[in-house]
Amino acid sequence: MKKIQDVENLKGKKIILRSTLNVPLKDGKIINDFRLRKAMKTIDYLRKSDAKVILIGHIGRDKSLSLFPVYEYFKNLFPVSFAEEVLGDKTKSKVESMNDGDVILLENLRQNEEETSNDDNFARELASLGDIYVNDDFAVSHGEHASVVGLPKYLPSFTGFLFQEEINELSDALNPQSPSLCILGGAKFKTKEPLIEKFIDIYDNVFVSGALAHDFFKANGFNIGKSLISDTGVDIKELSLNEKIMTPSDVTVENKDGVFIKKPNEVLDGDSIVDAGPETAEYLSKLLNDFKFILWNGPLGEYERGFNKQTETVAKAIAESSAETLMGGGDTIAATENLGLEDKFSFISTGGGAMLKFLLDGTLVGIEALKRE
């Protein structure tokens, strides 16, 4: 893949920049600007190179959401204009009137169904706005969308600084310094089970928590009550016996009478496991000192419901460790942000699903699209 810094003269060039703009909103306000701060290096580089920057991206899962809050955020950092549509006469007029160094932000790409369906005509029309395409949105590059895999067909294509950093750092996670530990949490066992199988050959230990651990508890014959479990039908009995796999030694359960700490073999029919227990968090925190490389993706419990205590305990311990630390995933990032620990990690990926997909396959469809040229 070619890098944008390898282009000798960007002055006056119209750059379509797929940037990482998907930030969480509450009441129309940005509540975590992590991705926008990570996007700034490439934006600043293009502005200072006197390029005409056409920013594109998406926000949220609701197609009606607008990127206007992102525009309001950026306008406090640099001069930028906002187009209330992606394609159309107004957008074309704004682009045609751009001066060198100008930035224009187009509306949420996913307001157009043609984006997620990877419509070729949509990609072609979008490409007609610019001279060069830059992908700096690693977090969406596992999806076959028009702005990810379609645009590179029609324009000279390059990677931005964040995209390059993601690949370099995550590639290191595929060859970690030993002794190494991978911590996997969350609820999507179907996407993480192949990764667990891969990582028991790469990492010295794999700690499995969150809803992923429920599958292991069940495979070992424990009652998991009403706890969330995957419906993949995957037989993980053999995997659960692997000595490299670690699971919580105690759990936090919720039932009609309240919240309690139990051993995994003490869970009853009416219980729902919602978090790891304090014994697990304390043990894992002490164990971290034994490792030189730690990879972390996914919380230890139902973080969004407020069961965050054990996740935050482990986050603090990882941040204080002397190991090289790499982490990613929305709730995992939220935990570090809430504790003010962001700068204590060696690298934090902007990707959740994209991070896992890259670690599993060593590539993404967005990467392969940039290689085609």
Side-chain angles (χ1 to χ4, degrees):
M1 294 178 294
K2 294 180 292 186
K3 303 174 181 178
I4 189 57
Q5 60 266 40
D6 295 334
V7 180
E8 292 185 2
N9 184 11
L10 291 168
K11 182 177 173 59
K13 295 286 197 311
K14 289 179 289 186
I15 312 297
I16 299 180
L17 174 60
R18 205 337 170 164
S19 198
T20 180
L21 310 178
N22 184 24
V23 290
L25 300 175
K26 185 175 182 179
D27 300 325
K29 302 294 183 181
I30 295 170
I31 57 175
N32 187 324
D33 66 350
F34 168 72
R35 284 179 168 169
L36 301 184
R37 286 184 280 116
K38 297 286 278 188
M40 283 302 300
K41 185 174 181 179
T42 300
I43 296 172
D44 282 343
Y45 177 81
L46 293 173
R47 289 181 58 237
K48 292 174 182 177
S49 299
D50 284 331
K52 300 174 181 178
V53 185
I54 305 165
L55 268 179
I56 61 172
H58 82 282
I59 190 164
R61 297 183 182 277
D62 184 345
K63 292 179 180 180
S64 68
L65 287 175
S66 172
L67 277 171
F68 190 78
V70 174
Y71 158 70
E72 290 187 310
Y73 175 93
F74 279 147
K75 75 178 183 180
N76 291 320
L77 302 176
F78 55 84
V80 57
S81 60
F82 183 66
E84 297 177 351
E85 60 184 4
V86 176
L87 296 173
D89 292 338
K90 291 181 180 179
T91 296
K92 289 179 181 178
S93 177
K94 284 179 179 287
V95 170
E96 288 171 0
S97 63
M98 292 177 77
N99 297 314
D100 294 354
D102 283 356
V103 180
I104 180 174
L105 171 62
L106 306 192
E107 184 55 282
N108 180 6
L109 285 170
R110 294 189 182 178
Q111 288 189 3
N112 299 265
E113 291 184 3
E114 296 89 344
E115 160 67 3
T116 51
S117 66
N118 189 22
D119 182 84
D120 190 63
N121 289 329
F122 181 77
R124 191 194 302 267
E125 191 172 351
L126 194 56
S128 69
L129 297 175
D131 304 309
I132 289 174
Y133 167 67
V134 176
N135 188 347
D136 203 34
D137 195 353
F138 177 87
V140 300
S141 292
H142 59 315
E144 294 193 26
H145 298 163
S147 66
V148 175
V149 299
L151 280 176
K153 296 178 183 179
Y154 301 109
L155 291 173
S157 300
F158 302 84
T159 55
F161 291 101
L162 175 58
F163 200 101
Q164 296 160 29
E165 186 181 21
E166 291 273 6
I167 293 172
N168 291 337
E169 295 290 344
L170 292 177
S171 294
D172 286 346
L174 293 173
N175 187 29
Q177 185 178 3
S178 185
S180 56
L181 171 67
C182 173
I183 302 173
L184 285 176
K188 299 177 181 178
F189 189 84
K190 185 176 181 180
T191 60
K192 292 184 180 178
E193 185 263 341
L195 200 58
I196 295 171
E197 291 188 338
K198 178 176 181 176
F199 277 3
I200 56 177
D201 292 328
I202 297 176
Y203 282 75
D204 293 287
N205 286 104
V206 177
F207 178 81
V208 180
S209 191
L212 299 177
H214 305 168
D215 292 87
F216 284 90
F217 292 151
K218 186 176 181 180
N220 288 322
F222 297 154
N223 184 357
I224 61 167
K226 299 179 178 180
S227 308
L228 182 65
I229 192 168
S230 39
D231 56 0
T232 60
V234 177
D235 183 3
I236 63 165
K237 182 63 177 177
E238 184 176 343
L239 191 61
S240 70
L241 297 175
N242 191 294
E243 61 182 14
K244 288 188 174 184
I245 298 287
M246 302 165 61
T247 55
S249 58
D250 64 340
V251 293
T252 303
V253 302
E254 184 181 40
N255 58 37
K256 62 182 178 60
D257 297 317
V259 176
F260 306 91
I261 305 299
K262 294 187 176 185
K263 296 292 187 181
N265 62 353
E266 297 173 341
V267 176
L268 303 176
D269 290 344
D271 294 335
S272 178
I273 303 172
V274 292
D275 200 357
E279 178 184 284
T280 297
E282 183 180 355
Y283 172 75
L284 188 57
S285 296
K286 291 180 179 178
L287 189 67
L288 297 176
N289 295 322
D290 296 337
F291 296 98
K292 292 183 178 179
F293 188 98
I294 300 169
L295 172 67
W296 180 26
N297 181 284
L300 274 63
E302 295 185 26
Y303 192 88
E304 290 183 344
R305 291 189 57 220
F307 293 99
N308 54 15
K309 187 173 182 179
Q310 315 314 332
T311 295
E312 293 187 348
T313 296
V314 172
K316 291 175 184 176
I318 295 176
E320 293 170 1
S321 75
S322 59
E324 182 178 352
T325 53
L326 193 157
M327 58 91 78
D331 288 337
T332 326
I333 293 172
T336 60
E337 287 270 329
N338 291 341
L339 296 169
L341 299 175
E342 181 187 325
D343 296 334
K344 300 292 185 180
F345 286 77
S346 304
F347 181 72
I348 300 178
S349 175
T350 57
M355 172 185 174
L356 296 174
K357 186 69 173 173
F358 181 85
L359 290 172
L360 181 62
D361 297 337
T363 190
L364 301 172
V365 291
I367 292 174
E368 295 306 307
L370 295 172
K371 290 179 178 178
R372 277 200 303 257
E373 199 176 338

